[in-house]
Amino acid sequence: QQEFSRREIIFPVFVAGLAATSAEDQIRAVDFLAQFQVHGIGRNTSVAKQLLSEVCEEQRRGIARGESGWVDWVALGRARGLAVVVCGL
């Protein structure tokens, strides 16, 4: 039961990291996912963490170039072979 409820929170944390407006909040979301990785919830957690890290990096690059920082995370995930499975919805 505890493992199932952990799985249910992976995607909301991922989305919170996507929506975060500060680097600190993005890092917090990535770190939170990393903690779930330690507990061996599964590959989906690793993929979600990697994709969130890459999206955040792309956002930072865009902002540094004077762009909005918006990143199509679905397209980025597909392009890099990082598919996140939504559990518990």
Side-chain angles (χ1 to χ4, degrees):
Q1 182 69 15
Q2 186 177 4
E3 182 175 325
F4 182 73
S5 50
R6 284 183 188 158
R7 287 176 191 237
E8 290 178 341
I9 199 166
I10 300 303
F11 191 69
V13 169
F14 174 78
V15 171
L18 292 174
T21 57
S22 72
E24 295 81 18
D25 288 339
Q26 289 176 332
I27 291 167
R28 208 172 280 129
V30 170
D31 289 347
F32 196 81
L33 292 174
Q35 287 301 311
F36 280 120
Q37 252 184 306
V38 170
H39 296 291
I41 288 181
R43 175 162 160 57
N44 195 49
T45 306
S46 299
V47 171
K49 181 181 125 338
Q50 183 177 353
L51 180 55
L52 180 56
S53 295
E54 293 188 24
V55 168
C56 292
E57 182 58 34
E58 288 296 319
Q59 287 174 331
R60 282 190 281 280
R61 287 183 192 145
I63 290 168
R65 290 189 302 264
E67 299 168 0
S68 70
W70 184 85
V71 174
D72 182 343
W73 67 269
V74 174
L76 183 73
R78 283 184 182 147
R80 298 189 182 172
L82 301 170
V84 175
V85 178
V86 179
C87 298
L89 295 179

